[in-house]
């Protein structure tokens, strides 16, 4: 079996200007921050970022990496709003596709299933469709004839996710309570990279915690603490102190360079 | 029991949102609605399902009775057996809600959370709103960005905006054109005061006074659900 171990820098070396990058986790939970950090150190730009957004989005906006953002929300959970995301939006610095969370999921699922779209009710009547006129509706071909949103596939060039454990072949395990959507991100992407707290020879715990198998993964990065200050339970909870420092620095241009240097290490 | 606080009245009003819900997933956002859902579960609605806000369904004794990660929440949303109580940065007379952005969406003056699950929630199952500070900036003539869908834009078979509970009053949409109606004002609040804090005219025919929590409810709120009285920080008396 193939040994897929790589460095974070090797992973982001394959990310080119203009690519669409999906980032796993949810809000400020189990974000692949080691991979995001590596991406921040590159000169890559004009990315389309697809994320249930947390500080990954804020940091990439701060670094000017984002041309377009696809999201249902951006939040730090215990801090409602990410200051860099707010600033990017309020200065008109980025294009956006703002979706309902369920539309986001079904868009990834359509990509994962190699379908052009999947139908969903979410979005009807709301302003999602007003600000995203490219999203169309379809009518049920059956007797009910109901109008539904035809959520287009959210196809990704690259998926970046962080799990608790992985083996060198790309099988990977989550040990927290929620898989989030990391498997869908991988299935929706052409190239799939998982960072993990620890590379293991054998997995402990119930096999249904093995969220990713090796045909869903192209590269494995061992990155202890790789979710940064976001949570990666049970290995560690969110580092609320460091998150507060991030949010405070993000709201203060004088503090930011110092924080950012320390953050990138 | 004496000295009932406004927050405690709001908790009981939130508990009443779930009357008759049975085996339905209660998804309250914010402290007071969460206390309300758990209070309902302990009193009138023992069949209610309540999550820990993460991935587990918990019994009143905090033992895990179910697993509900986000992906399965979306299944419940589509399936419909859910009553969400969302916040609202803005809400209008037909129950349209905004948690996305203030101003022009293309370049907002104030970016908020985003659409979150509001479009899907409101089109799929019963939705209520909790507003801890009832004021004209929240209760607007027209929301800037429609996140949760109101009655004037409702489509599909499952749209059901139930009530709005605030620090001042309980409101619903039980009028011929589904315009917002004042159901009850909390003790010590006048109809005029609620109207003054609302940017559009409220239907206000038979307005009652919001009920006080029972002694049993107060005991549960104070000793079991919220012994540190965090509720009094979300709603000042």
């Amino acid at each position: 079996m193939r040994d897929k171990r790589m460095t974070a820098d090797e992973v982001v070396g394959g990310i080119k200007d203009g690519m669409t990058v999906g980032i796993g986790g949810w809000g400020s939970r189990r974000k692949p921050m080691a991979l995001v950090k590596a991406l921040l150190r590159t000169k890559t730009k004009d990315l389309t970022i697809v994320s249930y957004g947390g500080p990954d989005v804020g940091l990439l906006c701060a670094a000017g990496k984002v041309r377009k953002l696809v999201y249902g929300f951006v939040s730090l959970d215990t801090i409602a709003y990410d200051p860099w995301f707010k600033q990017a939006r309020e200065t008109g610095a980025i294009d956006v596709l703002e979706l309902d969370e369920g539309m986001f999921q079904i868009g990834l699922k359509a990509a994962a299933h190699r379908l052009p779209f999947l139908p969903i009710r979410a979005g009807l009547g709301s302003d999602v469709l007003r600000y995203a006129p490219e999203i169309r509706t379809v009518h049920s071909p059956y007797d009910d004839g109901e109008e539904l949103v035809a959520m287009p596939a959210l196809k990704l060039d690259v998926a970046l996710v962080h799990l608790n454990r992985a083996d060198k072949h790309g099988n990977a395990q989550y040990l927290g309570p929620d898989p989030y959507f990391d498997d869908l991100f991988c299935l929706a992407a052409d190239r799939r990279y998982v960072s993990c707290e620890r590379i293991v020879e054998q997995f402990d715990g119930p096999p249904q915690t093995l969220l990713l198998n090796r045909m869903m993964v192209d590269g494995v990065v061992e990155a202890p603490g790789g979710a940064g200050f976001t949570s990666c339970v049970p290995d560690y909870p969110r580092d609320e102190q460091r998150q507060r420092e991030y949010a405070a620095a993000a709201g203060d241009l004088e503090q930011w360079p110092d924080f950012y240097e320390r953050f990138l290490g | 029991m004496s000295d009932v606080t406004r927050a405690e009245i709001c908790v009981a009003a939130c508990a009443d949102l779930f009357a008759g819900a049975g085996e339905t997933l209660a998804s309250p956002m914010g402290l007071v609605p969460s206390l309300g859902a758990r209070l309902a579960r302990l009193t009138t609605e023992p069949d209610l399902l309540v999550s820990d806000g993460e991935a587990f369904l918990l019994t009143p004794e905090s033992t895990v009775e179910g697993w509900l990660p986000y992906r399965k929440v979306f299944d419940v949303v589509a399936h419909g057996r859910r009553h969400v109580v969302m916040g609202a940065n803005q809400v209008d007379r037909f129950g349209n809600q905004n948690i996305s952005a203030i101003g022009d969406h293309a370049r907002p003056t104030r970016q908020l959370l985003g659409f979150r699950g509001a479009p899907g929630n409101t089109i799929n199952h019963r939705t209520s709103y909790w507003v801890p500070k009832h004021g004209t900036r929240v209760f607007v003539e027209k929301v800037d960005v429609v996140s949760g869908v109101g009655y004037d834009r409702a489509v599909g078979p499952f749209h059901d905006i139930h009530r709005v509970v605030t620090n001042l009053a309980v409101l619903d949409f039980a009028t011929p054109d589904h315009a917002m109606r004042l159901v009850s004002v909390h003790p010590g609040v006048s109809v005029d005061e609620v109207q003054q804090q609302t940017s559009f005219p409220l239907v206000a025919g038979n307005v009652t006074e919001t009920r006080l929590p029972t002694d049993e409810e107060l005991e549960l709120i104070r000793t079991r659900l919220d012994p540190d009285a965090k509720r009094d920080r979300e709603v000042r008396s």
Side-chain angles (χ1 to χ4, degrees), chain A residues 26 29 72-74 80-81 85-86 89-91 98 100-101 105 122 124-125 127 131 177-178 180-181 183, chain B residues 54 67 69-71 74 100 105 107-108 110-117 119-120 123 145-146 149 153 155 158:
Chain A
W26 173 282
R29 302 166 200 206
F73 62 86
V74 178
Y81 304 122
F85 164 66
K86 266 178 77 71
R89 285 285 286 135
E90 291 165 12
T91 57
E98 184 176 310
D100 166 88
E101 295 165 358
Q105 180 202 29
L124 295 171
D127 275 348
Y131 300 119
D178 198 318
Y180 308 119
F181 299 89
D183 48 346
Chain B
E54 300 283 332
W67 182 56
Y70 289 116
R71 61 181 59 197
F74 294 159
S100 167
H105 190 267
R107 187 171 171 173
R110 196 154 70 89
Q111 173 65 42
L112 306 169
L113 284 173
F115 286 116
R116 290 228 69 154
I123 213 77
V145 179
V146 176
V149 179
R153 302 168 56 121
V155 285
F158 307 121

Side-chain angles (χ1 to χ4, degrees), chain A residues 25-265:
Chain A
W26 173 282
S28 190
R29 302 166 200 206
R30 221 175 67 218
K31 284 291 173 178
M33 297 293 266
L35 299 180
V36 170
K37 268 188 212 181
L39 184 54
L40 290 169
R41 289 192 208 102
T42 66
K43 291 192 164 67
T44 312
K45 59 182 191 303
D46 292 332
L47 297 174
T48 294
I49 298 295
V50 180
S51 177
Y52 286 110
D56 51 329
V57 167
L59 283 156
L60 290 164
C61 285
K65 301 282 185 206
V66 184
R67 185 183 60 78
K68 181 175 181 182
L69 181 66
V70 180
Y71 63 104
F73 62 86
V74 178
S75 175
L76 305 175
D77 296 319
T78 45
I79 298 171
Y81 304 122
D82 181 287
W84 277 120
F85 164 66
K86 266 178 77 71
Q87 200 216 50
R89 285 285 286 135
E90 291 165 12
T91 57
I94 55 171
D95 292 338
V96 298
L97 174 58
E98 184 176 310
L99 298 167
D100 166 88
E101 295 165 358
M103 292 174 73
F104 187 113
Q105 180 202 29
I106 217 82
L108 287 180
K109 193 169 271 185
H113 292 190
R114 302 180 298 174
L115 290 167
F117 71 91
L118 277 170
I120 188 169
R121 284 201 184 85
L124 295 171
S126 79
D127 275 348
V128 172
L129 301 187
R130 181 174 164 206
Y131 300 119
E134 70 272 28
I135 299 180
R136 302 186 194 162
T137 62
V138 286
H139 288 272
S140 164
Y142 299 103
D143 289 346
D144 58 276
E146 186 177 346
E147 186 182 26
L148 299 162
V149 170
M151 178 61 207
L154 291 174
K155 283 187 259 182
L156 309 174
D157 292 310
V158 176
L160 305 176
V161 300
H162 184 77
L163 272 73
N164 301 87
R165 305 284 179 269
D167 66 17
K168 63 186 176 188
H169 310 298
N171 301 299
Q173 178 182 41
Y174 77 106
L175 296 172
D178 198 318
Y180 308 119
F181 299 89
D182 290 1
D183 48 346
L184 266 187
F185 277 96
C186 288
L187 290 171
D190 291 334
R191 280 182 286 166
R192 302 78 45 92
Y193 301 100
V194 57
S195 58
C196 64
E197 292 297 314
R198 193 146 51 84
I199 290 181
V200 294
E201 291 290 324
Q202 276 193 315
F203 292 101
D204 292 328
Q208 57 268 37
T209 57
L210 294 165
L211 186 66
L212 307 180
N213 60 58
R214 58 193 165 83
M215 66 183 166
M216 300 160 72
V217 172
D218 298 295
V220 181
V221 178
E222 186 169 48
F229 57 80
T230 74
S231 68
C232 187
V233 290
D235 290 310
Y236 44 88
R238 183 180 306 121
D239 186 336
E240 299 289 356
Q241 174 61 33
R242 282 191 63 212
Q243 175 156 291
R244 279 195 295 275
E245 286 170 21
Y246 161 71
D252 181 343
L253 282 180
E254 291 198 3
Q255 277 189 56
W256 180 253
D258 182 49
F259 175 89
Y260 192 61
E261 285 309 307
R262 276 189 292 126
F263 178 78
L264 287 186

Side-chain angles (χ1 to χ4, degrees), chain B residues 185-218:
Chain B
V185 290
H186 301 336
V189 179
S190 69
V191 172
D192 282 351
E193 184 181 351
V194 178
Q195 183 59 73
Q196 277 167 20
Q197 294 298 328
T198 305
S199 300
F200 50 85
L202 290 166
V203 178
N206 297 306
V207 181
T208 60
E209 189 169 270
T210 311
R211 73 173 180 93
L212 293 173
T214 65
D215 286 352
E216 182 204 0
E217 286 176 321
L218 283 175

